[in-house]
């Protein structure tokens, strides 16, 4: 029983795909305890409790239908029970819920546990930016790492080849987490610039909303390539402004950077909903309800958090793409104005 105990905190689309990987690896590797708990927010599906369905049929029929989870992944609706005694905690919940989850867990987590955030978002903090991993670290006092990459959950669950990036300052923990996560079709690289890795994961969702606007307005792949490039420039600029540690361009060439940005601007829910927004004129909230089967959008909300941060630092005009996404989503600016932000981008002046 000397192995590390793993808990997946969250069981949506991405949480279930990750549980499939870590469940299979924990069962196979001697360094981990074979049972992996997965915290599931209890809900009813077809008159049955979701946890009962997952534990009987080994399938999350609501958020990852058609994929079998390993039988050693156990769904647990009680958060404290799910996380009891865990050495490794993988946080995969929509970023708006992480604060309240950590408040419930406070004092119930091993001090020497290692946390990993797979949550793509940022929060506002006293100095402008708070990373989700910082929130978890502040509330729980545990060492934090992050995992970000070009990882559309359904494709990962289908075992289609992809890469991902772990940001981890402690090399020993980085190696242990790589063992837990890596498979022949899910290739992991570990980098030390954890803050840059995490910022990439949050900001690319904002760029994807812009890419979706272009799709909805009928612009082609050339325009989308410009959105991706200009968006990447703003991501790098933002990271340089706000990261405490070094920010090297090579991190943006990892899966968490340019690869995740491309896949999210072509696939992904932020792009899809933004396209519908441009075509239908319905609100983001309404489209989220209609199109996402209970999943949450991260892009628009992240653009609002970014906007407050950029305003507090008086640098709004340096980030016209981020700003245009915010104004279109929240201030009623016409979506057709998005092209103006590309035409008049400071990069072109």
């Amino acid at each position: 029983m000397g192995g590390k105990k793993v808990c997946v905190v969250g069981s949506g689309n991405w949480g279930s795909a990750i549980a499939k990987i870590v469940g299979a690896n924990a069962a196979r590797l001697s360094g981990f305890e074979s049972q992996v708990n997965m915290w599931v927010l209890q809900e009813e599906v077809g008159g049955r409790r979701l946890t009962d369905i997952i534990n009987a049929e080994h399938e999350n029929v609501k958020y990852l239908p058609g994929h079998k989870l390993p039988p050693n992944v156990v769904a647990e609706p009680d958060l404290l029970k799910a996380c009891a005694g865990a050495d490794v905690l993988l946080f995969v919940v929509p970023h708006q819920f992480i604060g309240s989850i950590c408040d419930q867990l406070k004092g119930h987590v091993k001090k020497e546990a290692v946390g990993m955030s797979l949550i793509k978002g940022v929060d506002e903090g006293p100095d402008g930016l708070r990373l989700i991993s910082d929130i978890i670290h502040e509330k729980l006092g545990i060492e934090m790492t992050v995992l970000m990459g070009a990882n559309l959950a359904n494709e990962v669950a289908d075992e289609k080849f992809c890469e991902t990036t772990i940001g981890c300052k402690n090399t020993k923990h980085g190696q242990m987490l790589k063992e837990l996560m890596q498979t022949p079709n899910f290739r992991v690289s570990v980098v030390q610039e954890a803050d840059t890795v995490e910022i990439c994961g949050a900001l690319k969702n904002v760029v994807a909303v812009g890419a979706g606007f272009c799709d909805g307005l009928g612009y082609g792949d050339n325009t989308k390539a410009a959105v991706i490039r200009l968006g990447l420039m703003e991501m790098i600029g933002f990271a340089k402004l706000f990261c405490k540690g070094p920010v090297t361009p090579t991190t943006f060439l990892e899966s968490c950077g340019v690869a995740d940005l491309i896949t999210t601007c072509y696939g992904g829910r932020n792009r899809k909903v933004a396209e519908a927004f441009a075509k239908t004129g319905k609100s983001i909230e309404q489209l989220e309800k209609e199109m996402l089967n209970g999943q949450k959008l991260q892009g628009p909300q992240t653009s609002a958090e970014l906007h407050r941060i950029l305003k507090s630092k008086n640098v709004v005009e340096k980030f016209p793409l981020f700003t245009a996404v915010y104004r279109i989503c929240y201030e009623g600016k016409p979506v057709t104005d998005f092209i103006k932000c590309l035409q008049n981008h400071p990069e072109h002046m």
Side-chain angles (χ1 to χ4, degrees):
M1 290 298 285
K4 292 189 185 302
K5 193 174 170 64
V6 180
C7 174
V8 182
V9 184
S11 59
N13 188 230
W14 185 214
S16 301
I18 281 299
K20 186 179 170 189
I21 287 177
V22 299
N25 280 347
R28 184 177 62 79
L29 296 167
S30 59
F32 299 95
E33 208 173 283
S34 87
Q35 181 173 317
V36 171
N37 287 352
M38 176 169 76
W39 175 62
V40 177
L41 186 64
Q42 191 64 281
E43 53 185 307
E44 294 238 328
V45 179
R48 291 169 72 195
R49 290 188 307 197
L50 185 55
T51 50
D52 293 344
I53 299 172
I54 293 171
N55 290 332
E57 287 153 36
H58 308 299
E59 183 182 343
N60 186 337
V61 290
K62 177 154 187 191
Y63 295 108
L64 194 66
H67 290 282
K68 285 290 177 205
L69 295 172
N72 58 312
V73 172
V74 176
E76 171 52 67
D78 182 314
L79 180 64
L80 298 188
K81 267 191 197 159
C83 297
D87 300 294
V88 179
L89 291 156
L90 308 176
F91 294 92
V92 211
V93 293
H95 85 276
Q96 50 271 48
F97 303 132
I98 193 63
S100 63
I101 285 170
C102 288
D103 288 339
Q104 293 171 63
L105 282 175
K106 218 178 259 180
H108 296 278
V109 170
K110 281 186 178 179
K111 285 193 172 42
E112 62 281 8
V114 178
M116 176 185 271
S117 171
L118 294 88
I119 299 167
K120 295 180 174 177
V122 287
D123 213 345
E124 207 185 351
D127 311 322
L129 178 77
R130 272 173 97 208
L131 298 170
I132 303 298
S133 61
D134 290 342
I135 296 172
I136 301 171
H137 173 69
E138 281 159 28
K139 288 184 185 277
L140 302 182
I142 60 174
E143 186 191 316
M144 283 303 296
T145 64
V146 296
L147 180 142
M148 305 277 150
N151 306 142
L152 297 175
N154 289 359
E155 293 183 14
V156 173
D158 278 335
E159 298 177 27
K160 292 177 175 163
F161 179 85
C162 68
E163 305 171 313
T164 200
T165 311
I166 289 176
C168 178
K169 296 175 177 106
N170 173 327
T171 43
K172 195 171 116 229
H173 287 155
Q175 206 38 50
M176 177 268 293
L177 292 164
K178 178 173 178 165
E179 270 179 42
L180 175 64
M181 311 303 277
Q182 181 156 276
T183 73
N185 285 320
F186 191 68
R187 304 311 288 178
V188 176
S189 61
V190 183
V191 300
Q192 291 202 304
E193 273 177 40
D195 292 358
T196 308
V197 171
E198 188 167 359
I199 279 180
C200 285
L203 301 191
K204 56 99 199 188
N205 283 328
V206 180
V207 184
V209 173
F213 290 158
C214 287
D215 288 343
L217 295 166
Y219 288 88
D221 283 341
N222 294 343
T223 311
K224 201 190 277 194
V227 171
I228 290 171
R229 190 188 75 82
L230 294 167
L232 181 61
M233 298 310 286
E234 291 193 16
M235 285 166 62
I236 294 171
F238 188 88
K240 284 184 171 159
L241 263 180
F242 290 95
C243 279
K244 294 170 199 77
V247 173
T248 52
T250 50
T251 303
F252 292 90
L253 297 176
E254 294 287 344
S255 183
C256 60
V258 69
D260 194 11
L261 180 60
I262 291 167
T263 195
T264 310
C265 287
Y266 278 92
R269 61 186 98 154
N270 289 282
R271 188 217 63 80
K272 188 168 90 173
V273 173
E275 178 182 23
F277 175 88
K279 281 181 171 164
T280 64
K282 292 178 180 177
S283 74
I284 293 279
E285 293 75 27
Q286 195 183 345
L287 291 164
E288 188 179 60
K289 279 197 189 83
E290 286 175 18
M291 297 172 71
L292 293 184
N293 184 31
Q295 289 176 280
K296 293 284 175 229
L297 267 194
Q298 305 292 331
Q301 195 175 338
T302 302
S303 79
E305 279 142 11
L306 278 188
H307 190 68
R308 284 194 291 272
I309 294 166
L310 295 173
K311 235 164 88 175
S312 71
K313 301 270 191 203
N314 287 324
V315 289
V316 168
E317 68 294 335
K318 288 191 175 144
F319 296 89
L321 192 147
F322 291 167
T323 303
V325 169
Y326 165 73
R327 295 207 160 122
I328 291 163
C329 287
Y330 292 101
E331 292 184 351
K333 199 177 162 146
V335 69
T336 45
D337 279 10
F338 188 68
I339 296 302
K340 286 186 195 147
C341 100
L342 303 179
Q343 292 166 335
N344 303 324
H345 202 282
E347 276 259 312
H348 297 142
M349 295 308 174

